[in-house]
Amino acid sequence: MVAEATTAAAQRSITIPVPDGVRLPLFLDNHSTTAVDLRVVQAMLPFFTQHYGNAASRNHSFGWTAESAVDRARGQVAALLGGDAKEIVWTSGATEANNLAIKGAASFLRKQGNHIITVETEHKSVLDTCKRLQREGFEVTYLTPAKDGLVTPEQVTAAMTDKTILVTIMLANNEIGVVQPLAAIGAAIKAKNAKTLFHTDAVQGFGKVPFDVEKARVDLASVTAHKLYGPKGIGALWVRRKPRVRIDPIIDGGGHERGMRSGTLPVPLIVGFGKAAELAREEMAEEAVRLNALRDRLYKGLTSRLTETYVNGSLEHRLPGNLNISFAFVEGESLLMALKDVAVSSGSACTSASLEPSYVLRALGVGDELAHTSIRFGIGRFNTEAEIDYVIELVVVSVERLRALSPLWEMHQDGIDISSIQWTPH
Amino acid sequence: MAYSDKVIEHYENPRNVGTFRAEPEVDASEVGTGLVGAPACGDVMRLEIRVKDGLIADARFKTFGCGSAIASSSLATEMIKGMTLDQAAQIKNTQIVQELNLPPVKIHCSVLAEDAVKAAIEDYKKKQASRATAPVRETQAAAPAATPEP
């Protein structure tokens, strides 16, 4: 069959009526960041102009008020991960927390060993930190996940040697939302060598899926506020006290945070992080059910109307609200352009400066041609059913239009195997 | 990254989309096809020219690629219409860059469009040459420059 002749209707972009209650632009990129919950903002406000003391000031009430607010927030954040308030080390965010955990542990344990284990699908703040350590003489094993994005405890222990000082594996992936079996992995690591430290970049899963540092047997956990309807610019590293985990600081100064992270504490941000954690603890279970339902609605709405779509990563072991899906034969950035009033992201190379598609999808064995067609939807607290229905309609119409423009779609329709063609990579 | 108005305009109203194979009035012997790029690189352009009396009478394209790639190929089909093959072969990607205000990271889209035009001209010329030597064989529909292997 030869594709349909040129028809004006198939080429032009089409405008979908915006239903009542849906306001554009619409934010469906909640893995990149989230709006701050108004209840969080309310909690923060007094700490800008009223209680503006330095939490390190020990000799007046301004300082005491700030310090007690910071301590309360420590408890709120610690409670959400099952730890103790005294184990929270505030950082500027998760990138710093990951740097501190990995570099700090590597530096402190250098005499014990020089081997670190991580996974190819980790966040860049973990991977690039590991790469730097490699240049400094450490050895790093990068585990390849299975096609569903998961790593197994056996994979981890098989890579462990008597030089392994640290294993770092994320709780949930930022692109595909796949949630790793940390409890099983943690148990396996500790059974093989109780001295090997276990760190998790818990950023994406924190407050979204159940996570408990005791159950996961982790020693270090990185978290951040802005993925959790809290403010940007504040994160934390949870550092186990029993048995005591010691790391070297990467920022020296006044000895704040038990010497692990010097610098004046951003009290309003910390208060906001605490409030965000408290809300997540209270509402997570209910919110997960709602976000899963919205995600399933989006998934079914798209896949029931479009063929040749592929979900990237396990649909079962996945964050609520995450859908990473490839629309074969439609390049991701061109689809983003059609969805211009909807904020989503793509694994397409064209969205990055490197011109290479998502390394996460590559690690899963997703071919580059499909990786270029992937879109990440991140549904969050403030998204509604009406918004999802609008997005389904818009995506379906846009994919159909772009497929009508795609020579690959036409070949596919004509029964030509795209992989049999001698392409000219450029 | 923000797109230029011209890229958006071509993306939203692409010119000359399609294939001559779907147009019964077009004789396959008048058509040259360029298929360039690779799915794994995220862009593939197929550009067809219809040649009459030594002039490019019409053109068609389909593109898998970002908005800038779609706009570049759409613009290329417009630029070459009415040109001789020699004139069209002189088209430079920099003209496309200028016309569409492409940023540096999108220059490869314009290069691909230039390549597609050249490949279509080559294909047409090759077809004419083989018609001259073996006129009986060349009666099939225009085959893409890169043909599927058996």
Side-chain angles (χ1 to χ4, degrees):
Chain A
M1 180 200 108
V2 170
E4 73 285 2
T6 312
T7 56
Q11 305 164 25
R12 298 234 169 82
S13 63
I14 296 152
T15 318
I16 302 295
V18 182
D20 289 344
V22 174
R23 277 180 41 200
L24 301 180
L26 194 165
F27 193 72
L28 268 189
D29 199 18
N30 284 281
H31 301 306
S32 68
T33 192
T34 56
V36 180
D37 193 301
L38 284 179
R39 295 169 291 180
V40 170
V41 177
Q42 287 300 330
M44 291 169 68
L45 284 176
F47 291 88
F48 285 102
T49 52
Q50 206 178 335
H51 311 304
Y52 49 81
N54 186 328
S57 297
R58 290 287 154 83
N59 41 17
H60 52 66
S61 67
F62 290 88
W64 303 330
T65 305
E67 189 186 24
S68 94
V70 166
D71 284 344
R72 178 156 183 259
R74 277 188 214 282
Q76 289 165 318
V77 171
L80 185 55
L81 48 72
D84 186 87
K86 294 192 190 76
E87 297 171 313
I88 297 295
V89 174
W90 301 116
T91 65
S92 60
T95 291
E96 186 192 329
N98 284 337
N99 270 265
L100 174 58
I102 297 167
K103 289 175 181 164
S107 166
F108 193 82
L109 298 172
R110 185 160 235 165
K111 289 198 181 97
Q112 280 182 39
N114 68 340
H115 183 228
I116 296 167
I117 298 170
T118 187
V119 184
E120 288 175 344
T121 48
E122 293 291 310
H123 190 265
K124 283 286 183 193
S125 59
V126 167
L127 294 177
D128 287 354
T129 301
C130 287
K131 276 185 203 146
R132 183 175 297 282
L133 289 174
Q134 271 179 297
R135 291 196 292 273
E136 291 171 9
F138 286 87
E139 282 178 26
V140 181
T141 301
Y142 299 89
L143 301 173
T144 304
K147 193 149 180 50
D148 60 7
L150 293 164
V151 288
T152 64
E154 296 74 30
Q155 254 184 301
V156 178
T157 49
M160 284 172 71
T161 70
D162 54 1
K163 298 273 186 214
T164 307
I165 50 171
L166 176 71
V167 177
T168 171
I169 297 176
M170 68 197 338
L171 171 59
N173 185 270
N174 49 304
E175 287 190 29
I176 52 178
V178 168
V179 179
Q180 298 291 353
L182 287 195
I185 293 171
I189 293 168
K190 295 300 175 181
K192 181 141 184 182
N193 184 354
K195 278 188 174 168
T196 299
L197 292 186
F198 185 25
H199 166 249
T200 186
D201 168 1
V203 165
Q204 292 287 343
F206 184 55
K208 312 286 173 64
V209 290
F211 169 63
D212 184 291
V213 289
E214 296 306 332
K215 285 185 190 143
R217 304 280 300 269
V218 297
D219 301 294
L220 299 153
S222 305
V223 293
T224 198
H226 78 101
K227 312 281 191 192
L228 199 65
Y229 314 99
K232 294 165 186 61
I234 184 69
L237 181 65
W238 173 84
V239 184
R240 179 179 287 283
R241 274 165 69 95
K242 287 180 188 160
R244 188 178 175 199
V245 168
R246 298 184 64 185
I247 55 173
D248 281 339
I250 54 176
I251 295 177
D252 295 303
H256 309 75
E257 302 300 280
R258 293 177 286 130
M260 279 187 272
R261 205 284 190 178
S262 291
T264 297
L265 295 176
V267 178
L269 301 181
I270 288 171
V271 168
F273 193 1
K275 183 66 181 177
E278 180 190 280
L279 292 173
R281 191 154 167 259
E282 288 164 0
E283 298 171 4
M284 180 171 76
E286 211 176 303
E287 188 164 281
V289 171
R290 196 180 76 83
L291 295 185
N292 266 325
L294 288 180
R295 193 265 314 283
D296 291 346
R297 189 181 184 91
L298 177 63
Y299 170 69
K300 284 179 189 136
L302 294 173
T303 55
S304 66
R305 290 172 62 188
L306 292 168
T307 59
E308 297 295 328
T309 59
Y310 302 90
V311 172
N312 298 305
S314 166
L315 202 50
E316 185 193 347
H317 302 281
R318 186 179 283 257
L319 289 178
N322 174 283
L323 184 65
N324 187 310
I325 186 167
S326 289
F327 301 96
F329 316 114
V330 174
E331 198 277 328
E333 189 186 332
S334 68
L335 185 52
L336 291 191
M337 206 166 158
L339 311 179
K340 58 180 184 293
D341 291 321
V342 179
V344 291
S345 66
S346 172
S348 151
C350 287
T351 58
S352 72
S354 67
L355 295 184
E356 293 211 337
S358 154
Y359 69 90
V360 171
L361 298 183
R362 273 191 171 173
L364 264 56
V366 174
D368 283 358
E369 62 274 21
L370 262 188
H372 281 291
T373 70
S374 72
I375 299 285
R376 178 186 70 179
F377 297 93
I379 304 167
R381 182 174 290 170
F382 305 112
N383 292 121
T384 65
E385 209 170 88
E387 290 177 341
I388 298 301
D389 289 346
Y390 169 73
V391 169
I392 293 168
E393 199 60 39
L394 185 62
V395 171
V396 167
V397 168
S398 303
V399 167
E400 283 171 348
R401 177 179 100 87
L402 289 165
R403 280 182 173 169
L405 264 170
S406 168
L408 301 179
W409 175 249
E410 184 189 302
M411 289 173 189
H412 174 73
Q413 298 289 90
D414 290 348
I416 296 171
D417 179 5
I418 309 280
S419 62
S420 71
I421 296 178
Q422 290 272 311
W423 298 103
T424 46
H426 50 285
Chain B
M1 181 186 44
Y3 297 95
S4 73
D5 291 346
K6 282 184 177 161
V7 167
I8 293 170
E9 206 277 313
H10 272 278
Y11 170 82
E12 291 188 341
N13 306 290
R15 330 289 201 260
N16 310 308
V17 175
T19 172
F20 288 123
R21 286 189 297 148
E23 299 174 38
E25 71 278 11
V26 179
D27 190 328
S29 66
E30 301 167 354
V31 176
T33 303
L35 182 64
V36 297
C41 300
D43 32 32
V44 172
M45 288 181 190
R46 188 189 62 203
L47 191 145
E48 300 172 348
I49 52 171
R50 182 188 187 187
V51 183
K52 278 189 142 177
D53 305 324
L55 293 179
I56 296 174
D58 208 349
R60 294 283 180 270
F61 87 95
K62 281 197 180 186
T63 289
F64 163 83
C66 65
S68 303
I70 290 170
S72 294
S73 37
S74 170
L75 175 64
T77 58
E78 282 208 310
M79 287 167 72
I80 59 175
K81 270 201 226 178
M83 285 184 172
T84 65
L85 293 181
D86 286 345
Q87 284 168 336
Q90 298 301 314
I91 293 269
K92 287 278 173 287
N93 80 292
T94 46
Q95 294 167 262
I96 295 170
V97 171
Q98 211 163 24
E99 177 72 19
L100 295 177
N101 289 325
L102 295 181
V105 70
K106 294 298 183 189
I107 285 175
H108 70 279
C109 298
S110 68
V111 173
L112 209 58
E114 180 190 321
D115 290 350
V117 170
K118 289 185 168 143
I121 294 169
E122 280 309 303
D123 181 59
Y124 174 79
K125 284 183 175 167
K126 216 186 288 172
K127 237 192 240 178
Q128 296 306 306
S130 71
R131 271 166 64 83
T133 52
V136 198
R137 283 180 59 207
E138 193 59 43
T139 51
Q140 285 189 336
T147 45
E149 290 177 332

